[in-house]
Amino acid sequence: MSSMFRITLPDGSSREVAPGTTPGDVAAAIGPGLAKAALAARVDDEVRDLNRPFEGDAELALITARDEADALELVRHDYAHILAEAVQSLFPGTQITFGPATEDGFYYDVMAPATRELFSMDDLPAIEERMREIIRADKPLRREVWSREQLVAKWESEGERFKAEWARELPEGEELTVYWSGDDWLDMCRGPHLASTGKVAPDAFKLMRVAGAYWRGDQRNAQLTRIYGTGWLNKKQLDAHLLRLEEAAKRDHRRLGAEMDLFHLQAEAHGSVFWHPKGYRIWRELEAYMRRAIDAAGYREVKTPQVMDARQWEASGHWGKYRENMFVIPDEVPNTDDDGPIVSDDADWMALKPMNCPAHVLIFRQGIKSYRDLPLRLYENGCCHRNEPHGALHGLMRVRQFTQDDAHIFCREDQIVAEVQAFCKLADRIYRDFGFAYSIKLALRPEKRFGSDAMWDQAEAELRDAVVRAGLATEHYGWEELPGEGAFYAPKLEWHLTDAIGRTWQVGTIQSDRVLPDRLDASYVGEDGERHRPVMLHRAIFGSYERFIGILIEHFAGRLPVWLAPVQAVVATIVSDADDYARDVTDRLKAAGIRVETDLRNEKINYKVREHSLAKVPHLLVVGKREAEEGKVAIRTLGRDGQRIVTLDEAIAILRDEATPPDLREAG
């Protein structure tokens, strides 16, 4: 028997190597250029360190900066470890916990020594400089396998109580690894890592902010400081990312929402939105648009209760799998006696609905349904509540109270593919009306789920087939399958919108569900006269009105299409002599269906222009004495230089055209 290992390369060629050979050795044997470029190795589809020896015959693919996704994951992991080393080097006594790579960088959770206050933004420049010193030192990163006893003893001896706690809970028999940075610092880590600290660029990262965190995410545990950074392969990528962040800050819907007087949030209603008249006008326009779309597509709108008995949520499965995210309510009159408890121990429980689907099943169950009644499409602008942690709330994007454009399609097995295909076409038209490009993903079964493997096989195949028939399972639409990302009761299709600055937002979904109709005993009478279970398709296009409005504000940087703008035009006077004409213009515009305001203040016109531009009003109609005499207006359009002098009738025609929603424009 040969003592050599056969290493197969991506081109199909192979090499015989001796035990102890590493992927780095193979790279060097191929050529010095590859040896320099290689960052890590994919060995039998597992990403490993370049210096980790082969353990037998293997397939090998070397990872370089061209493999951007893998390369970024690696360098961000290394930046996180370098951050932890830098903090402990600068501030002895700091305890470290864990620090993963993130979508655009990394973070590490640390506890400051008792001798100082929590870490703050003021500490970041010094930490950054120490990180650069560690990178320039090009310290070798070395993997070692330790026993659990070694790990626990190491951490306890150094006062690292968080690491020691974690190490004590690791399973018996599991291979436990540490990584040394040089010979003077180590961390417990599965890896992989680059060969040395010098493999990451000293000018391709930046520490961004600090935030509070809790050990293991539990607010009952010790408070930590989370230090966030962004890390890239080179300075060019970092600069581009920082520019995107700068642009995103300009588009922040929270700032624009205040400037445009759309909404506000406050502590008295954590995670719930106070909509101002202008903001709610946007909501109403979206709601009207969606109603026209679902009416034309054959949906029937319903309204269901906000509060339902806990027994209903137990039957649906949400009480067991989702209760931590629900607001629960005792079903009894609260005690008003100051000396007694507000609620007794005997109270039954109810809950604010976190989703609409169980209530729609209850509507379906009213009366006998025939196979001829299907598909039955029930739609609701359904207000839901989910008990999100305070720290997770974020403007309109993450709230506790939200309204979904929610619908459930009850259909026969033979109707599933056609219904999903029709939904794909509906979603495509709606997203295009708002100017979005999108990609579509199929989220497959998660580890914890209801239903048999055969049921999941069938449900996934049906969604896949519908996308293929709709012509969307292509590279152009970013078609991709996502293992483990489905809901606990069903696989789902996801629509990911791309906004004006290249960010993606997951919004629309459709899910094929056979579990909930069975759990809640929904049935119809088939052509054979027997009872059958309908399949339930859960679907949404906006996702939630709150979040979709936030996305629209940021996508358009507040400059909403005229048909969505809460104020579509302002008639502003140059001199008071034009006040009466301005009022006449406003009346004519209102009669034409334009949302218009009048600005007759005794202010300079440039001041008015700046103010209404900040409020993102699409059109400013300026009138003075000359315009009044000639029956004209000067139109200044947001984002354009100069102005157009037109007659009032021409102005009304222009604004009416732009104020027409896209679906009505097509219908006309």
Side-chain angles (χ1 to χ4, degrees), residues 207-280:
L207 298 184
M208 304 298 293
R209 61 190 174 95
V210 299
Y214 294 99
W215 170 234
R216 295 186 161 184
D218 189 334
Q219 62 185 7
R220 294 168 297 184
N221 290 339
Q223 184 173 7
L224 309 171
T225 299
R226 179 167 295 177
I227 303 176
Y228 287 95
T230 186
W232 300 85
L233 298 176
N234 52 58
K235 188 176 186 299
K236 182 179 178 181
Q237 287 184 342
L238 172 65
D239 290 343
H241 175 70
L242 295 178
L243 186 61
R244 286 194 298 271
L245 291 181
E246 183 180 335
E247 183 60 32
K250 295 176 186 175
R251 295 168 177 262
D252 190 316
H253 71 281
R254 295 166 297 180
R255 181 178 66 81
L256 290 172
E259 291 177 358
M260 297 170 67
D261 191 25
L262 303 180
F263 66 89
H264 80 275
L265 300 107
Q266 62 186 69
E268 285 76 7
H270 275 297
S272 299
V273 184
F274 292 83
W275 288 102
H276 299 187
K278 291 179 180 177
Y280 199 58

Side-chain angles (χ1 to χ4, degrees), residues 557-585:
R559 299 177 178 182
L560 296 168
V562 176
W563 73 274
L564 272 179
V567 177
Q568 295 167 326
V570 169
V571 180
T573 54
I574 300 173
V575 293
S576 60
D577 290 350
D579 285 1
D580 288 341
Y581 179 61
R583 293 187 185 97
D584 290 342
V585 170

